[in-house]
Amino acid sequence: MTLQPIMDGLVNGAIIGLGAIGVTLTYAILRFANFAHGELLSWGAYLALTLSGALGALLPGLGTSLGPFSFGWSVPIAMVGSILLTAALTLAVDWLLFGRLRRSGAVTIILVMASFGAALALRNLLEFAYTSSPKYFSNALQISREILPGLRATPDQLLVVALGVVLVVLVHLLLTRTAAGRSMRAVSEDPQLSALVGIDTRAVIRMVWVLGAALAAVAGIMSGVVVQIRPTMGHDLLLPLFAAAILGGIGSVPGAMLAGLIVGLAEALTVQVIGAEWRAAVSFVILVAVLLLRPQGIFGKVSA
Amino acid sequence: MIDLLSYAAFFLTMALTYAVICLGLNLQWGQTGLFNVGVAGFVAVGAYVSAILTTPPIEGRLGGFELPMIFGWLGGGLAAGLLCLAIGALTLRLRSDYLAIATFGAAVVIQLALLNLEGLTGGPFGVGFIPRPFGALQGDADLFALSNLSVMIVTVLICYLALEHLVRSPWGRVLRALREDETAARALGKNPVTYRLQAFAIGGFVMGIGGAAQGHFIGFIAPDNYLPILTFQVWTMLIVGGSGNMRGAILGAVLVWAIWAVSGSAVSALFPTEQQARAASLQIVMIGVALCAVLLLRPRGLLGEAGTLRRAKTRTAPKISEGTETNA
């Protein structure tokens, strides 16, 4: 038994955690389980891949590796572009689909079903545009270094974990320390009452989409850097995202990240102990355990 | 012409197996408002259990009981129903979309189990030699196809009449009452969790029978038949036909299966081999968009629900959503 699964688990957990923050915010503030959230990770990764490919072709200097990492400046620059485009995508989908359903007074479950349809359309659009063969940001091979006895990591992996932690702290501060965050939490508590005291709920909804999309894009790109980019990558992560959001407690940002790390570690340990073929079942086991033992999650409040 | 007849009969037989699955989903969603995202998983359980019960024994795989087909179908339905009961018991007390998440997860795990439990399911190669109804008639293509079709017509009729009887019974009225106005129904002393659990399990039973029937008409099942796209096809059938209406569920199944089959053969006829995978994904994009469009533009589907006055959908003030919508 080595420490190696811990590193793999933390890397995947950071990616799951970032995605789960978007799920938990949509769930708490827009009040529905968004089955299309996984696709935002895929879209973020593919948009960044396209942008960084274009940048690398225009300015070959941007493609050369950055310090110890496997990618050049083109990837961080493309990440900014991808965040903006993914955010624009979610706003477009909200304008086309979810916003209209909300205004027509549709019940929660209709929104869930619409997100299911949107997920299928978005995923297969990617498969149509990019085919199902896996893509990579760079072909450079990275040698993992020993950072502790029995624990090896590549610089890319360490960057993913560090970036994940920094982003969680930033989002947590945004929600707890700024006016925008306060209005988001208010809408999550009671949409009618917060509209009554003058909070622009539509602006809050837009903020939720943009924030969720930005984190999803970053998570997708990180997954693309340390693993690979496939049209089904977001769909494969969807169950871990839901498991993490529910385990962390709906609405809790630190909870989502902590639970993401727990899910990631549990998956890595399962791969080590039982076998890689059962990896996808881990999230379901965690989900069932949470629903049985503590349906409100680690940091969740008991709802009526 | 002779080929055409047996092809038409085979096509209709397949469409009617979907109709049975769709009828099960209609009880869960159309009548009760429970969102099941794991249809493919429950259908797979029905198909595999029936296959294991009825196939001849094979080296290295459990099963091969060679039971008569009717036991396979009932066993498949029972297994799927029990699974629905377990998942419903876990989630129906909680928020309404937890059921959706849990059924989605169940379908993922069932798919994994089909692939990895080789001693039970045959792994990626699946189960073959599933006995077909009227297998003795296989020499005469037309007679064989028509007798299969008649089996399926009878099955659909039985499911239709039984479900129709159920939803018209006092039990069915309670389901609709719970869906339309839960508070009022609770005030009359109806326990929502119990009724929803029963409806979810019975729907799962019907779905399992549909899955079992499908396996027996194809004669061979493999994990690839039960990918999430199956869930999506069945949902599209129900939404297009009109959720809440049993005849709509059957009509939707035949119609969507026809569109699917025609567009599928158009894809293989029009596009070169190397582009077919891409064209097929575009086919799925269109169905995804169509589902969203029906939800937006014609939420009641082609036939809609008969005989109920649904609450007026108009609201004056724009709201963020239903707010504290729960199942409990």
Side-chain angles (χ1 to χ4, degrees), chain B residues 6-78:
Chain B
S6 57
Y7 178 76
F10 176 73
F11 165 81
L12 212 55
T13 311
M14 284 311 291
L16 289 181
T17 61
Y18 281 103
V20 173
I21 301 170
C22 216
L23 283 173
L25 187 64
N26 189 29
L27 183 65
Q28 295 181 340
W29 168 252
Q31 300 296 327
T32 325
L34 303 172
F35 189 39
N36 180 350
V37 198
V39 176
F42 301 114
V43 171
V45 167
Y48 269 85
V49 168
S50 181
I52 289 168
L53 289 177
T54 56
T55 45
I58 283 181
E59 188 79 22
R61 179 166 66 73
L62 178 89
F65 297 105
E66 291 188 280
L67 288 176
M69 214 173 295
I70 182 83
F71 289 107
W73 290 27
L74 289 177
L78 217 55

Coordinates of all heavy atoms in Angstrom, one line a residue, chain B residues 6-78:
Chain B
S6 N -42.7 -9.2 -43.5 CA -42.0 -9.7 -42.3 C -41.2 -8.5 -41.7 O -41.1 -8.4 -40.4 CB -41.2 -10.9 -42.5 OG -40.2 -10.6 -43.5
Y7 N -40.7 -7.6 -42.5 CA -40.0 -6.5 -42.0 C -40.9 -5.6 -41.2 O -40.6 -5.1 -40.1 CB -39.2 -5.7 -43.0 CG -38.5 -4.5 -42.5 CD1 -37.3 -4.6 -41.8 CD2 -39.1 -3.2 -42.5 CE1 -36.7 -3.6 -41.2 CE2 -38.5 -2.1 -41.9 CZ -37.3 -2.3 -41.3 OH -36.6 -1.3 -40.7
A8 N -42.1 -5.3 -41.8 CA -43.0 -4.4 -41.1 C -43.5 -5.0 -39.8 O -43.6 -4.3 -38.8 CB -44.3 -4.2 -42.0
A9 N -43.7 -6.3 -39.8 CA -44.1 -7.0 -38.6 C -43.0 -6.9 -37.5 O -43.3 -6.6 -36.3 CB -44.5 -8.5 -38.9
F10 N -41.8 -7.1 -37.9 CA -40.6 -7.1 -37.0 C -40.5 -5.6 -36.4 O -40.3 -5.4 -35.2 CB -39.3 -7.5 -37.7 CG -38.1 -7.3 -36.8 CD1 -37.9 -8.2 -35.7 CD2 -37.2 -6.3 -37.0 CE1 -36.9 -8.1 -34.9 CE2 -36.1 -6.1 -36.1 CZ -36.0 -7.0 -35.1
F11 N -40.6 -4.6 -37.3 CA -40.5 -3.2 -36.9 C -41.6 -2.9 -35.9 O -41.3 -2.4 -34.8 CB -40.7 -2.3 -38.1 CG -41.0 -0.9 -37.8 CD1 -40.0 -0.1 -37.4 CD2 -42.3 -0.5 -37.7 CE1 -40.3 1.2 -37.0 CE2 -42.6 0.8 -37.3 CZ -41.6 1.7 -37.0
L12 N -42.8 -3.4 -36.1 CA -43.9 -3.1 -35.2 C -43.7 -3.8 -33.9 O -44.0 -3.3 -32.8 CB -45.3 -3.5 -35.9 CG -46.5 -2.6 -35.5 CD1 -46.2 -1.1 -35.8 CD2 -47.7 -3.1 -36.3
T13 N -43.2 -5.0 -34.0 CA -43.0 -5.8 -32.7 C -42.0 -5.0 -31.8 O -42.2 -4.8 -30.7 CB -42.4 -7.2 -33.1 OG1 -43.2 -7.8 -34.1 CG2 -42.3 -8.0 -31.9
M14 N -40.9 -4.5 -32.5 CA -39.9 -3.7 -31.7 C -40.5 -2.5 -31.1 O -40.4 -2.1 -30.0 CB -38.7 -3.4 -32.5 CG -37.7 -4.5 -32.8 SD -37.3 -5.4 -31.3 CE -36.3 -4.1 -30.5
A15 N -41.3 -1.8 -32.0 CA -42.0 -0.6 -31.5 C -42.9 -0.8 -30.3 O -42.9 -0.1 -29.4 CB -42.8 0.1 -32.7
L16 N -43.5 -2.0 -30.4 CA -44.5 -2.3 -29.3 C -43.7 -2.7 -28.0 O -44.2 -2.4 -26.9 CB -45.4 -3.4 -29.7 CG -46.5 -3.0 -30.7 CD1 -47.4 -4.1 -31.1 CD2 -47.3 -1.8 -30.3
T17 N -42.5 -3.3 -28.1 CA -41.7 -3.5 -26.9 C -41.4 -2.1 -26.2 O -41.5 -2.0 -25.0 CB -40.4 -4.3 -27.1 OG1 -39.6 -3.5 -28.0 CG2 -40.7 -5.6 -27.7
Y18 N -41.1 -1.1 -27.1 CA -40.9 0.2 -26.5 C -42.2 0.8 -25.9 O -42.1 1.5 -24.9 CB -40.4 1.2 -27.6 CG -38.9 1.0 -27.9 CD1 -38.5 0.3 -29.0 CD2 -38.0 1.5 -27.0 CE1 -37.1 0.2 -29.2 CE2 -36.6 1.4 -27.2 CZ -36.2 0.7 -28.3 OH -34.9 0.5 -28.6
A19 N -43.3 0.4 -26.5 CA -44.6 0.9 -26.0 C -44.8 0.4 -24.6 O -45.3 1.1 -23.7 CB -45.7 0.5 -26.9
V20 N -44.4 -0.9 -24.3 CA -44.6 -1.4 -23.0 C -43.7 -0.6 -22.0 O -44.2 -0.2 -20.9 CB -44.2 -2.9 -22.9 CG1 -44.2 -3.4 -21.5 CG2 -45.2 -3.7 -23.8
I21 N -42.4 -0.4 -22.4 CA -41.5 0.4 -21.5 C -42.1 1.8 -21.2 O -42.1 2.3 -20.1 CB -40.1 0.5 -22.1 CG1 -39.6 -0.9 -22.4 CG2 -39.2 1.3 -21.3 CD1 -38.3 -0.9 -23.2
C22 N -42.7 2.3 -22.3 CA -43.2 3.7 -22.3 C -44.4 3.7 -21.3 O -44.7 4.7 -20.6 CB -43.6 4.0 -23.7 SG -43.4 5.7 -24.1
L23 N -45.3 2.6 -21.4 CA -46.4 2.6 -20.5 C -46.0 2.6 -19.0 O -46.6 3.2 -18.2 CB -47.2 1.3 -20.8 CG -48.1 1.4 -22.0 CD1 -48.7 0.0 -22.3 CD2 -49.2 2.4 -21.9
G24 N -44.9 1.8 -18.7 CA -44.4 1.8 -17.4 C -43.9 3.2 -17.0 O -44.2 3.7 -15.8
L25 N -43.2 3.9 -17.9 CA -42.7 5.2 -17.5 C -43.9 6.2 -17.4 O -43.9 7.1 -16.5 CB -41.8 5.7 -18.7 CG -41.1 7.0 -18.4 CD1 -40.2 6.9 -17.2 CD2 -40.3 7.5 -19.6
N26 N -45.0 6.0 -18.1 CA -46.1 6.8 -18.0 C -46.8 6.7 -16.7 O -47.2 7.7 -16.1 CB -47.1 6.5 -19.1 CG -48.2 7.5 -19.2 OD1 -48.0 8.7 -18.9 ND2 -49.4 7.0 -19.6
L27 N -46.8 5.5 -16.1 CA -47.3 5.4 -14.7 C -46.4 6.2 -13.7 O -46.9 6.9 -12.9 CB -47.4 4.0 -14.3 CG -48.0 3.7 -12.9 CD1 -49.5 4.2 -13.0 CD2 -47.9 2.3 -12.5
Q28 N -45.1 6.1 -14.0 CA -44.2 6.8 -13.0 C -44.2 8.3 -13.2 O -44.4 9.1 -12.3 CB -42.8 6.3 -13.3 CG -42.6 4.9 -12.9 CD -41.1 4.4 -13.1 OE1 -40.4 5.1 -13.8 NE2 -40.8 3.4 -12.4
W29 N -44.2 8.8 -14.5 CA -44.1 10.2 -14.7 C -45.5 10.8 -15.0 O -45.9 11.7 -14.4 CB -43.1 10.5 -15.9 CG -43.2 11.9 -16.4 CD1 -43.8 12.3 -17.6 CD2 -42.8 13.1 -15.7 NE1 -43.7 13.7 -17.7 CE2 -43.1 14.2 -16.6 CE3 -42.2 13.3 -14.5 CZ2 -42.8 15.5 -16.2 CZ3 -41.9 14.6 -14.1 CH2 -42.2 15.7 -15.0
G30 N -46.1 10.3 -16.0 CA -47.4 10.9 -16.5 C -48.4 10.9 -15.4 O -49.1 11.9 -15.2
Q31 N -48.6 9.8 -14.6 CA -49.6 9.8 -13.6 C -49.1 10.3 -12.3 O -49.8 10.9 -11.5 CB -50.1 8.4 -13.4 CG -50.7 7.8 -14.6 CD -52.0 8.5 -15.1 OE1 -52.7 9.1 -14.3 NE2 -52.2 8.6 -16.4
T32 N -47.8 10.1 -11.9 CA -47.3 10.4 -10.6 C -46.3 11.5 -10.5 O -46.1 12.0 -9.4 CB -46.7 9.1 -10.0 OG1 -47.5 8.0 -10.5 CG2 -46.8 9.1 -8.5
G33 N -45.7 11.9 -11.7 CA -44.8 13.0 -11.6 C -43.4 12.6 -11.1 O -42.7 13.4 -10.5
L34 N -43.0 11.3 -11.2 CA -41.7 10.9 -10.7 C -40.7 10.8 -11.9 O -41.0 10.1 -12.9 CB -41.8 9.5 -10.1 CG -42.8 9.5 -8.9 CD1 -42.9 8.0 -8.4 CD2 -42.3 10.4 -7.8
F35 N -39.6 11.5 -11.8 CA -38.7 11.6 -13.0 C -37.6 10.5 -12.9 O -36.8 10.6 -12.0 CB -38.0 13.0 -13.0 CG -37.2 13.3 -14.2 CD1 -37.6 12.9 -15.4 CD2 -36.0 14.0 -14.1 CE1 -36.9 13.1 -16.6 CE2 -35.3 14.2 -15.2 CZ -35.7 13.8 -16.4
N36 N -37.7 9.5 -13.7 CA -36.8 8.4 -13.7 C -35.8 8.6 -14.9 O -36.1 8.5 -16.0 CB -37.6 7.1 -13.9 CG -36.8 5.9 -13.9 OD1 -35.6 6.0 -14.0 ND2 -37.4 4.7 -13.9
V37 N -34.5 8.8 -14.5 CA -33.5 9.0 -15.5 C -32.7 7.7 -15.8 O -31.8 7.7 -16.5 CB -32.5 10.1 -15.1 CG1 -31.7 10.7 -16.2 CG2 -33.3 11.3 -14.4
G38 N -33.2 6.6 -15.1 CA -32.4 5.4 -15.2 C -33.2 4.3 -16.0 O -33.0 3.1 -15.8
V39 N -34.1 4.8 -16.9 CA -34.9 3.8 -17.6 C -34.1 2.7 -18.2 O -34.4 1.5 -18.1 CB -35.7 4.5 -18.8 CG1 -36.5 3.5 -19.6 CG2 -36.7 5.5 -18.2
A40 N -33.0 3.0 -18.9 CA -32.1 2.0 -19.5 C -31.7 0.9 -18.5 O -31.7 -0.2 -18.8 CB -30.9 2.7 -20.1
G41 N -31.4 1.3 -17.3 CA -30.9 0.4 -16.3 C -32.0 -0.6 -15.9 O -31.8 -1.8 -15.8
F42 N -33.2 -0.1 -15.7 CA -34.3 -1.0 -15.3 C -34.7 -1.9 -16.4 O -35.0 -3.1 -16.2 CB -35.5 -0.1 -14.8 CG -35.2 0.7 -13.6 CD1 -35.2 2.1 -13.8 CD2 -34.8 0.2 -12.4 CE1 -34.8 2.9 -12.7 CE2 -34.4 1.0 -11.4 CZ -34.5 2.3 -11.5
V43 N -34.7 -1.4 -17.7 CA -35.0 -2.2 -18.8 C -33.9 -3.3 -18.9 O -34.2 -4.5 -19.2 CB -35.0 -1.4 -20.1 CG1 -35.1 -2.2 -21.3 CG2 -36.2 -0.4 -20.1
A44 N -32.7 -3.0 -18.7 CA -31.6 -3.9 -18.7 C -31.8 -5.0 -17.7 O -31.6 -6.2 -18.0 CB -30.2 -3.3 -18.5
V45 N -32.2 -4.6 -16.5 CA -32.4 -5.6 -15.4 C -33.5 -6.6 -15.9 O -33.3 -7.9 -15.8 CB -32.8 -5.0 -14.1 CG1 -33.3 -6.0 -13.1 CG2 -31.6 -4.2 -13.5
G46 N -34.6 -6.1 -16.4 CA -35.6 -7.0 -16.9 C -35.1 -7.9 -18.0 O -35.4 -9.1 -17.9
A47 N -34.4 -7.4 -18.9 CA -33.9 -8.2 -20.1 C -32.9 -9.3 -19.6 O -33.0 -10.5 -19.9 CB -33.2 -7.4 -21.1
Y48 N -32.0 -8.9 -18.7 CA -31.0 -9.9 -18.3 C -31.5 -11.0 -17.3 O -31.2 -12.1 -17.5 CB -29.8 -9.1 -17.6 CG -28.7 -8.7 -18.5 CD1 -28.8 -7.6 -19.2 CD2 -27.6 -9.5 -18.7 CE1 -27.8 -7.2 -20.1 CE2 -26.6 -9.2 -19.6 CZ -26.7 -8.0 -20.3 OH -25.8 -7.6 -21.2
V49 N -32.4 -10.5 -16.4 CA -33.0 -11.5 -15.5 C -33.8 -12.6 -16.3 O -33.6 -13.8 -16.2 CB -33.9 -10.9 -14.5 CG1 -34.7 -11.9 -13.7 CG2 -33.0 -10.1 -13.5
S50 N -34.6 -12.1 -17.3 CA -35.3 -13.0 -18.1 C -34.4 -13.9 -18.9 O -34.7 -15.1 -19.1 CB -36.3 -12.2 -19.1 OG -37.0 -13.1 -19.8
A51 N -33.3 -13.3 -19.5 CA -32.4 -14.1 -20.3 C -31.8 -15.2 -19.4 O -31.6 -16.4 -19.8 CB -31.4 -13.2 -20.9
I52 N -31.4 -14.8 -18.2 CA -30.7 -15.8 -17.3 C -31.6 -16.9 -17.0 O -31.3 -18.1 -16.9 CB -30.1 -15.1 -16.1 CG1 -28.9 -14.2 -16.5 CG2 -29.7 -16.1 -15.0 CD1 -28.5 -13.3 -15.4
L53 N -32.9 -16.6 -16.8 CA -33.9 -17.6 -16.4 C -34.2 -18.6 -17.5 O -34.6 -19.7 -17.3 CB -35.2 -16.9 -15.8 CG -35.1 -16.2 -14.5 CD1 -36.4 -15.6 -14.2 CD2 -34.7 -17.2 -13.4
T54 N -34.2 -18.1 -18.8 CA -34.7 -18.9 -19.8 C -33.7 -19.5 -20.8 O -34.0 -20.4 -21.5 CB -35.7 -18.1 -20.7 OG1 -34.9 -16.9 -21.2 CG2 -36.9 -17.6 -19.9
T55 N -32.4 -19.1 -20.7 CA -31.4 -19.6 -21.7 C -30.9 -20.9 -21.3 O -31.0 -21.3 -20.1 CB -30.2 -18.6 -21.8 OG1 -29.8 -18.3 -20.5 CG2 -30.5 -17.4 -22.7
P56 N -30.4 -21.7 -22.3 CA -29.8 -23.0 -21.9 C -28.4 -22.7 -21.2 O -27.9 -21.6 -21.4 CB -29.5 -23.6 -23.3 CG -29.6 -22.5 -24.3 CD -30.5 -21.5 -23.7
P57 N -28.0 -23.6 -20.3 CA -26.8 -23.3 -19.5 C -25.5 -23.2 -20.4 O -25.4 -23.8 -21.5 CB -26.6 -24.6 -18.7 CG -27.7 -25.5 -19.1 CD -28.6 -24.9 -20.1
I58 N -24.6 -22.3 -19.9 CA -23.4 -22.1 -20.7 C -22.3 -22.2 -19.7 O -22.4 -21.7 -18.5 CB -23.4 -20.7 -21.3 CG1 -24.3 -20.7 -22.6 CG2 -22.0 -20.2 -21.7 CD1 -24.3 -19.4 -23.3
E59 N -21.2 -22.8 -20.1 CA -20.0 -22.9 -19.2 C -19.5 -21.5 -18.7 O -19.4 -20.6 -19.5 CB -18.9 -23.5 -20.1 CG -17.6 -23.9 -19.3 CD -17.8 -25.2 -18.6 OE1 -18.7 -26.0 -19.0 OE2 -17.1 -25.4 -17.6
G60 N -19.3 -21.4 -17.4 CA -18.7 -20.2 -16.8 C -19.7 -19.1 -16.6 O -19.3 -18.0 -16.3
R61 N -21.0 -19.3 -16.8 CA -22.0 -18.3 -16.5 C -23.1 -18.9 -15.7 O -23.6 -20.0 -15.9 CB -22.5 -17.7 -17.8 CG -23.5 -16.6 -17.6 CD -23.8 -15.8 -18.9 NE -24.4 -16.6 -19.9 CZ -25.7 -17.0 -19.9 NH1 -26.5 -16.6 -18.9 NH2 -26.2 -17.7 -20.9
L62 N -23.5 -18.1 -14.7 CA -24.6 -18.5 -13.8 C -25.9 -18.6 -14.7 O -26.0 -17.8 -15.7 CB -24.8 -17.6 -12.7 CG -26.0 -17.9 -11.7 CD1 -25.6 -18.8 -10.6 CD2 -26.6 -16.6 -11.2
G63 N -26.9 -19.3 -14.3 CA -28.1 -19.3 -15.0 C -28.3 -20.5 -15.9 O -27.7 -21.6 -15.7
G64 N -29.0 -20.3 -17.0 CA -29.3 -21.4 -17.8 C -30.4 -22.3 -17.2 O -30.2 -23.5 -17.1
F65 N -31.4 -21.7 -16.7 CA -32.5 -22.5 -16.0 C -33.5 -23.1 -17.0 O -34.3 -23.9 -16.7 CB -33.2 -21.7 -15.0 CG -32.2 -21.2 -13.9 CD1 -31.8 -19.9 -13.8 CD2 -31.8 -22.1 -12.9 CE1 -30.9 -19.5 -12.8 CE2 -30.9 -21.7 -12.0 CZ -30.5 -20.4 -11.9
E66 N -33.5 -22.6 -18.2 CA -34.4 -23.0 -19.3 C -35.8 -23.0 -18.8 O -36.6 -24.0 -19.2 CB -33.9 -24.4 -19.8 CG -32.6 -24.4 -20.5 CD -32.3 -25.7 -21.2 OE1 -31.8 -26.6 -20.5 OE2 -32.5 -25.8 -22.4
L67 N -36.2 -22.0 -18.1 CA -37.6 -21.9 -17.7 C -38.5 -21.5 -18.8 O -38.0 -20.9 -19.8 CB -37.7 -20.9 -16.5 CG -37.2 -21.3 -15.2 CD1 -37.3 -20.1 -14.2 CD2 -37.9 -22.5 -14.6
P68 N -39.8 -21.8 -18.8 CA -40.6 -21.2 -19.8 C -40.6 -19.7 -19.9 O -40.3 -19.1 -18.9 CB -42.0 -21.7 -19.4 CG -41.8 -22.8 -18.4 CD -40.5 -22.6 -17.8
M69 N -40.8 -19.2 -21.1 CA -40.6 -17.7 -21.3 C -41.4 -16.9 -20.3 O -41.0 -15.8 -19.9 CB -41.0 -17.4 -22.7 CG -40.1 -16.3 -23.3 SD -40.5 -16.2 -25.0 CE -39.9 -17.7 -25.6
I70 N -42.6 -17.3 -20.0 CA -43.5 -16.5 -19.2 C -42.9 -16.2 -17.8 O -43.0 -15.1 -17.3 CB -44.9 -17.1 -19.1 CG1 -45.9 -16.2 -18.3 CG2 -44.9 -18.5 -18.5 CD1 -46.5 -15.1 -19.1
F71 N -42.2 -17.2 -17.3 CA -41.5 -17.0 -16.0 C -40.4 -16.0 -16.1 O -40.1 -15.2 -15.2 CB -41.0 -18.3 -15.4 CG -42.1 -19.3 -15.0 CD1 -42.4 -20.4 -15.7 CD2 -42.8 -19.0 -13.8 CE1 -43.4 -21.2 -15.3 CE2 -43.8 -19.9 -13.4 CZ -44.1 -21.0 -14.2
G72 N -39.7 -16.1 -17.3 CA -38.6 -15.1 -17.5 C -39.1 -13.7 -17.5 O -38.6 -12.8 -16.9
W73 N -40.2 -13.5 -18.3 CA -40.8 -12.1 -18.4 C -41.2 -11.6 -17.0 O -40.9 -10.5 -16.6 CB -42.0 -12.1 -19.3 CG -41.6 -12.3 -20.8 CD1 -40.5 -13.0 -21.2 CD2 -42.3 -11.8 -21.9 NE1 -40.4 -12.9 -22.6 CE2 -41.5 -12.2 -23.0 CE3 -43.4 -11.1 -22.1 CZ2 -41.9 -11.9 -24.3 CZ3 -43.8 -10.8 -23.4 CH2 -43.1 -11.2 -24.5
L74 N -42.0 -12.5 -16.3 CA -42.5 -12.1 -14.9 C -41.3 -11.8 -14.0 O -41.3 -10.9 -13.2 CB -43.4 -13.1 -14.4 CG -44.8 -13.2 -15.1 CD1 -45.6 -14.3 -14.5 CD2 -45.5 -11.9 -15.0
G75 N -40.3 -12.7 -14.1 CA -39.1 -12.6 -13.2 C -38.4 -11.3 -13.5 O -37.9 -10.5 -12.6
G76 N -38.2 -11.0 -14.8 CA -37.6 -9.7 -15.2 C -38.3 -8.5 -14.7 O -37.7 -7.6 -14.2
G77 N -39.6 -8.6 -14.9 CA -40.5 -7.4 -14.4 C -40.3 -7.3 -12.9 O -40.2 -6.2 -12.3
L78 N -40.4 -8.4 -12.2 CA -40.3 -8.4 -10.7 C -39.0 -7.8 -10.2 O -38.9 -7.0 -9.3 CB -40.4 -9.8 -10.2 CG -41.2 -10.0 -8.9 CD1 -42.6 -9.4 -9.1 CD2 -41.3 -11.5 -8.6

